[in-house]
Amino acid sequence: VPAHDGWTKIGFTERDVETRIKEQTHTVGVEPKLCWHMRAAYMTEPYGTFTDKDFHAYLKKLEVPRESGTEWFQIDPNIARRNFIDFTQNHGVVSEDADAVIPYKLREEQAKAVRQTVEYFSGREDTEFLWNAKPRFGKTLSAYDLCMKLGAQNILIVTNRPAIANSWYQDYETFFGPQSGYLFVSNVDGIKNRKFVYSREEYLDKLDDSVKGCIEFVSLQDLKGSIYFGGRFGKLSEISAEKGLTWDILIVDEAHEGVDTYKTDTAFNHIKRKWTLHLSGTPFKALANDKFPESAIYNWTYADEQKKKRDWDASSEIENPYANLPRLSLYTYQMSDIVRDRVERGIELAEDDVEEFAFDLNEFFATNESGKFVHDVDVDKFLDALTRQEKFPFFTPELRDELKHTFWILNRVASAKALAKKLKLHPVFKDYEVVLAAGDGKLDDDEENEKSFDKVTKAIKKYDKTITLSVGQLTTGVTIPEWTAVLMLSNMASPALYMQAAFRAQNPCL
């Protein structure tokens, strides 16, 4: 194409390169020339992978001209290849002062969420909006875009999980950076030493005409511990209403976790703000309480995502962002065959009075004082059914290959320990490394979760097949990409917990 003389297209795919190029070019009838393709992985520490966006940002730092909104760069392919190899070694660092941000374009559904929220907030103050969006929607970038569209100056982000801090900071550095006029303020461990993170004092020192405002990130734990929010420690005074600061927007990330408690409500009441945005993948409680009118909710569901995946235009310049999000299948197992004699016998209540037997998962896996299963024989039958009965998950070697790493949820630590012993003696499950992700109550929930997460990831690296037994840990906000199935072996306390746990099996594992 004459207009592209001297220009090179630099893209990215997670599939076969030739197939991807054909998809993009067969509709326009041009003959593409593939100059090179290489694995998108760093060659120096910290190792890891990247996408074309990261490399595009590096080329921008090198001042390589780009055709706006496309993947075309005015560069010789061989020079681009040399730059690429440099990038895999220097992680995109040109010099300390050369920092480039990546221009971004929201996906259709993200732009719609922002538009709907701006319209709802317009002319209303002291009002709240909910994004009921499943994981992988891209909530952080969309929320930042919303703040820019609202012209917000003081942005406060609160989350129940400090681990999320990383993705908030990453999106800030990648797409906005200090050149946006916004400075990132936080004292949360894990990010407080990052390049563009300032303490509150440093931020105040930097205030001048070039600063539009601040993005402050705090953990809910720190907030509740502050003396200004019902705690004991003299920190985070700038957030409190008593200090007179009015925040333009408060963003509550993963609103379903620990945010419905009295202590949290009290803390939030002390924050003076114009608007509140709640982000959550499973906000069942908020919806059940009718906390939000329908016009104050944007929904993005698993079904929406899968429809987008199916209908994506393959010739688009952008790789299908939904392509690697697996389809999730939900199955039920019929227990009546396994406990048939109990069902037939029923429960004798009094003389000649028999009530129908009602099956209960927590009761089925109950243990006695010596730590053995009360219904020992039935549990054996259940494990045999999983591996011998047709249509059960571990019935054939092919199915077992699909389910090399799985996550099983029970209701008590004693049940998990008893099941771990049984699995080690079972003719099929003895080949699996069993990981017990059940705490002893000595550590707090966050530490227990972290300990269990490390245990599981180590086991998956070392063993070909694993089964993780949990009594509630690792069910929310944790990504173990290798898990391909979740087995519910307990009565889940709420629909939110059930869905959070079920979606542990929907993370793409590349």
Side-chain angles (χ1 to χ4, degrees):
V1 179
H4 279 149
D5 250 8
W7 291 72
T8 303
K9 180 171 163 41
I10 300 171
F12 170 83
T13 184
E14 283 164 345
R15 295 172 298 134
D16 172 66
V17 175
E18 303 280 358
T19 308
R20 178 68 189 121
I21 291 173
K22 265 198 196 99
E23 277 178 353
Q24 285 193 303
T25 55
H26 80 278
T27 52
V28 287
V30 294
E31 195 57 50
K33 181 184 170 195
L34 174 61
C35 301
W36 55 267
H37 64 89
M38 294 174 86
R39 191 164 173 263
Y42 294 112
M43 288 158 67
T44 56
E45 285 190 1
Y47 301 105
T49 57
F50 52 85
T51 72
D52 53 344
K53 287 192 179 75
D54 304 296
F55 182 52
H56 291 168
Y58 180 61
L59 291 176
K60 186 182 174 186
K61 288 180 185 182
L62 298 178
E63 298 181 351
V64 175
R66 177 183 188 171
E67 193 180 299
S68 180
T70 74
E71 296 177 340
W72 288 93
F73 290 83
Q74 195 172 11
I75 190 171
D76 178 271
N78 293 318
I79 294 171
R81 188 175 186 277
R82 283 204 297 276
N83 288 336
F84 181 82
I85 291 165
D86 289 344
F87 174 74
T88 63
Q89 294 171 342
N90 66 25
H91 291 254
V93 176
V94 179
S95 73
E96 274 308 301
D97 49 41
D99 293 296
V101 293
I102 300 172
Y104 66 89
K105 185 172 187 275
L106 293 185
R107 295 196 307 271
E108 195 185 325
E109 67 274 9
Q110 294 172 319
K112 193 178 170 190
V114 171
R115 206 164 49 245
Q116 212 171 300
T117 315
V118 169
E119 281 167 15
Y120 188 79
F121 283 161
S122 293
R124 285 188 177 98
E125 288 203 1
D126 197 20
T127 189
E128 312 201 4
F129 199 96
L130 168 70
W131 287 358
N132 169 27
K134 77 167 290 295
R136 305 200 120 70
F137 170 74
K139 289 182 275 227
T140 51
L141 178 59
S142 307
Y144 278 143
D145 187 76
L146 170 72
C147 295
M148 305 300 138
K149 297 262 191 320
L150 290 168
Q153 286 181 317
N154 293 314
I155 301 158
L156 179 62
I157 303 159
V158 180
T159 178
N160 198 39
R161 279 191 281 121
I164 296 177
N166 215 33
S167 58
W168 281 99
Y169 174 72
Q170 207 55 57
D171 276 4
Y172 165 77
E173 187 183 333
T174 308
F175 300 109
F176 301 96
Q179 55 265 60
S180 65
Y182 289 88
L183 299 183
F184 197 96
V185 176
S186 188
N187 66 353
V188 169
D189 289 340
I191 62 164
K192 64 182 179 190
N193 298 321
R194 300 288 287 273
K195 190 174 179 184
F196 297 126
V197 177
Y198 299 100
S199 68
R200 188 76 200 174
E201 292 70 31
E202 289 168 333
Y203 166 71
L204 294 172
D205 286 345
K206 280 191 161 291
L207 274 182
D208 59 26
D209 291 347
S210 67
V211 177
K212 283 185 195 167
C214 91
I215 297 166
E216 181 148 358
F217 184 96
V218 299
S219 79
L220 187 58
Q221 216 173 343
D222 276 353
L223 194 68
K224 289 198 280 196
S226 160
I227 204 160
Y228 301 96
F229 299 92
R232 296 199 312 271
F233 303 102
K235 54 185 176 183
L236 301 178
S237 61
E238 74 276 5
I239 291 169
S240 136
E242 279 90 86
K243 292 286 170 181
L245 182 58
T246 298
W247 296 88
D248 289 306
I249 187 166
L250 164 67
I251 300 172
V252 186
D253 194 0
E254 288 302 354
H256 61 280
E257 288 182 44
V259 174
D260 295 311
T261 62
Y262 173 73
K263 249 182 153 179
T264 306
D265 287 342
T266 309
F268 285 165
N269 288 342
H270 285 279
I271 299 172
K272 230 166 125 186
R273 74 266 190 192
K274 273 163 80 172
W275 303 300
T276 309
L277 175 67
H278 294 267
L279 308 175
S280 179
T282 49
F284 292 103
K285 200 181 275 188
L287 296 176
N289 294 344
D290 291 330
K291 184 176 174 177
F292 301 91
E294 215 168 296
S295 54
I297 301 171
Y298 176 77
N299 295 299
W300 176 254
T301 66
Y302 164 78
D304 296 327
E305 165 199 278
Q306 293 294 311
K307 185 176 184 298
K308 275 276 191 195
K309 174 180 168 174
R310 190 191 66 214
D311 299 343
W312 188 260
D313 175 10
S315 66
S316 158
E317 188 158 88
I318 301 161
E319 173 90 336
N320 183 346
Y322 316 97
N324 63 11
L325 292 168
R327 194 179 113 204
L328 192 67
S329 304
L330 296 158
Y331 297 98
T332 56
Y333 29 81
Q334 193 167 332
M335 298 297 286
S336 52
D337 290 350
I338 296 159
V339 289
R340 183 173 289 138
D341 54 334
R342 291 292 306 277
V343 176
E344 284 166 1
R345 240 186 14 245
I347 299 170
E348 289 179 24
L349 294 173
E351 218 175 303
D352 305 326
D353 190 5
V354 175
E355 192 180 80
E356 232 176 78
F357 171 71
F359 182 77
D360 179 294
L361 265 172
N362 291 353
E363 171 57 31
F364 184 76
F365 289 103
T367 54
N368 59 25
E369 283 170 17
S370 60
K372 288 202 164 67
F373 285 117
V374 175
H375 308 284
D376 205 59
V377 176
D378 289 332
V379 174
D380 283 336
K381 278 190 199 167
F382 174 64
L383 293 179
D384 288 343
L386 284 180
T387 54
R388 292 181 197 167
Q389 279 194 33
E390 202 179 339
K391 292 187 180 171
F392 272 70
F394 296 88
F395 174 57
T396 63
E398 291 76 24
L399 282 171
R400 288 171 208 163
D401 269 348
E402 288 285 331
L403 302 175
K404 283 184 172 171
H405 304 286
T406 54
F407 183 45
W408 301 20
I409 300 167
L410 292 110
N411 135 281
R412 306 176 190 85
V413 175
S415 305
K417 285 180 176 171
L419 188 59
K421 283 179 193 162
K422 269 210 186 298
L423 292 171
K424 283 171 186 168
L425 300 170
H426 191 271
V428 172
F429 292 122
K430 68 174 174 25
D431 298 337
Y432 293 70
E433 173 67 11
V434 177
V435 181
L436 197 58
D440 53 14
K442 288 176 189 163
L443 301 169
D444 70 23
D445 288 353
D446 281 348
E447 285 177 310
E448 289 286 14
N449 240 350
E450 212 169 297
K451 222 171 127 192
S452 298
F453 180 81
D454 292 343
K455 257 200 242 176
V456 174
T457 47
K458 272 183 197 150
I460 288 173
K461 272 193 187 126
K462 194 172 172 186
Y463 299 96
D464 187 43
K465 292 178 176 177
T466 68
I467 290 170
T468 301
L469 304 179
S470 164
V471 287
Q473 281 179 33
L474 308 176
T475 52
T476 58
V478 170
T479 302
I480 310 262
E482 293 83 0
W483 282 342
T484 42
V486 176
L487 270 75
M488 308 287 183
L489 304 181
S490 68
N491 306 335
M492 299 300 274
S494 72
L497 282 174
Y498 182 90
M499 294 313 287
Q500 280 283 336
F503 275 100
R504 296 307 102 203
Q506 208 229 349
N507 288 303
C509 185
L510 306 174

